[in-house]
């Protein structure tokens, strides 16, 4: 299986390159970086620490899409541009980019009408199990149980709350049959007044080199349920992306999630 990697010279891009190279029956055939990058023309294998692959980093998006499947860990604006070109060429795409707005996700869904796209705020197996559990617990507990989501990441993360935290919030809202935008409180400051029943609150922490901690708290009268996940290495995200790439190749057009990939109902 020939794989193209967008954002190939970034931290996640290099991990994806290593993961693909180590996977049976998969090779990195194309690698892209932004225009003007200092890494253009370099061998992506050398940059990823797996030895020369004979694949030079390019800024030609269409060239990277001449593969069986492409993997994208970049920024929202770049991801949408890549998805548009993938849709035009019919290339399946796996997206691990975080920080997309609701409008950008809607645009992604439009592109998925003409090619198969796997998009998930987090590619790890554990987090996607957590998403399923949170939806089920939320459905089982009524709105007398307050829901709060706490996340912590390293001090270089640029979006907040994290895409995974937002995904957990959406799972909780779905479990209760509520529209996420109607109940989400992304931050609190000052004299906010008493907490409104049915809200889903978020708290964002940033510091050090924390890869990703997420906790969903269901707080009731006299008791509290906490469900969480902690990532100790980014390789779990790259491994998930490789699994998604195997799954999505040859699929009919549509916007899929890691729950589809993993068969989680």
């Amino acid at each position: 299986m020939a794989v193209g990697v967008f954002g190939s010279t970034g931290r996640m891009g290099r991990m994806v390159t290593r993961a693909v190279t180590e996977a049976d029956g998969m090779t990195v055939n194309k690698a892209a970086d932004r225009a003007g990058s200092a890494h253009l023309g370099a061998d992506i294998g050398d940059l990823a620490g797996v030895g020369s692959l004979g694949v030079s980093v390019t800024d030609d998006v269409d060239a990277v899409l001449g593969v069986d499947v492409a993997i994208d860990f970049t920024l929202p604006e770049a991801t949408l541009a890549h998805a548009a070109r993938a849709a035009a060429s019919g290339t399946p795409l796996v997206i691990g980019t975080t920080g997309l707005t609701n409008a950008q996700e809607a645009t992604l869904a439009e592109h998925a009408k003409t090619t198969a796209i796997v998009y998930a705020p987090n590619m790890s197996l554990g987090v996607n199990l957590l998403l399923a559990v949170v939806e089920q617990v939320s459905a089982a507990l009524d709105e007398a149980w307050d829901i709060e989501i706490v996340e912590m990441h390293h001090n270089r993360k640029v979006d907040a709350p994290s895409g995974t935290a937002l995904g957990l919030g959406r799972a909780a809202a779905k479990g209760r049959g509520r529209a996420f935008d109607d109940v989400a409180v992304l931050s609190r400051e000052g004299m906010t007044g008493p907490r409104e029943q049915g809200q889903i609150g978020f708290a964002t922490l940033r510091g050090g080199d924390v890869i990703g901690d997420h906790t969903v708290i269901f707080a009731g009268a006299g008791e509290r349920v906490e469900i969480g996940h902690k990532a100790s290495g980014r390789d779990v995200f790259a491994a998930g992306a490789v699994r998604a790439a195997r799954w999505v190749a040859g699929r009919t057009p549509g916007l899929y999630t890691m729950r589809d990939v993993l068969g989680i109902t």
Side-chain angles (χ1 to χ4, degrees):
M1 180 184 292
V3 179
V5 182
F6 287 110
S8 61
T9 69
R11 182 162 44 190
M12 278 307 306
R14 297 185 195 209
M15 287 189 175
V16 167
T17 297
R18 289 196 293 271
V20 171
T21 302
E22 294 167 359
D24 292 338
M26 301 179 78
T27 59
V28 175
N29 284 49
K30 302 288 183 179
D33 201 357
R34 56 182 168 73
S37 168
H39 297 298
L40 295 179
D43 188 290
I44 188 57
D46 291 334
L47 293 176
V50 296
S52 178
L53 297 177
V55 178
S56 298
V57 178
T58 180
D59 59 2
D60 185 343
V61 172
D62 290 330
V64 175
L65 291 170
V67 292
D68 295 317
V69 61
I71 300 174
D72 186 319
F73 281 86
T74 56
L75 295 172
E77 294 76 13
T79 290
L80 289 182
H82 301 157
R85 300 306 305 154
S89 66
T91 303
L93 186 62
V94 174
I95 297 172
T97 300
T98 64
L100 273 68
T101 65
N102 290 342
Q104 288 171 327
E105 290 180 347
T107 300
L108 203 61
E110 286 298 312
H111 294 319
K113 292 179 178 179
T114 52
T115 195
I117 296 176
V118 174
Y119 165 62
N122 191 302
M123 288 284 172
S124 84
L125 172 61
V127 163
N128 284 282
L129 288 171
L130 178 61
L131 287 165
V133 170
V134 165
E135 183 178 330
Q136 292 176 337
V137 173
S138 180
L141 301 176
D142 63 27
E143 291 192 351
W145 291 74
D146 299 323
I147 301 176
E148 294 287 317
I149 299 171
V150 181
E151 61 102 338
M152 183 170 184
H153 284 81
H154 54 88
N155 55 24
R156 298 179 62 188
K157 187 169 178 60
V158 297
D159 58 305
S162 70
T164 300
L166 294 172
L168 290 166
R170 291 189 178 97
K174 182 178 179 182
R176 286 187 169 172
R178 300 291 300 276
F180 176 72
D181 289 341
D182 292 342
V183 295
V185 179
L186 302 185
S187 63
R188 296 186 179 98
E189 182 178 1
M191 297 293 292
T192 60
R195 188 188 198 282
E196 292 184 17
Q197 191 175 71
Q199 289 181 339
I200 298 175
F202 290 79
T204 298
L205 310 179
R206 294 287 179 265
D209 59 357
V210 177
I211 290 177
D213 293 354
H214 295 86
T215 303
V216 182
I217 303 166
F218 295 86
E223 58 183 329
R224 186 168 69 247
V225 176
E226 297 185 4
I227 311 169
H229 177 273
K230 295 184 178 181
S232 57
R234 291 183 178 83
D235 53 337
V236 297
F237 310 133
V242 169
R243 184 163 178 172
R246 286 191 188 279
W247 183 88
V248 77
R251 295 276 170 180
T252 57
L255 185 60
Y256 302 99
T257 70
M258 282 299 289
R259 290 176 68 170
D260 296 312
V261 174
L262 299 173
I264 299 173
T265 57

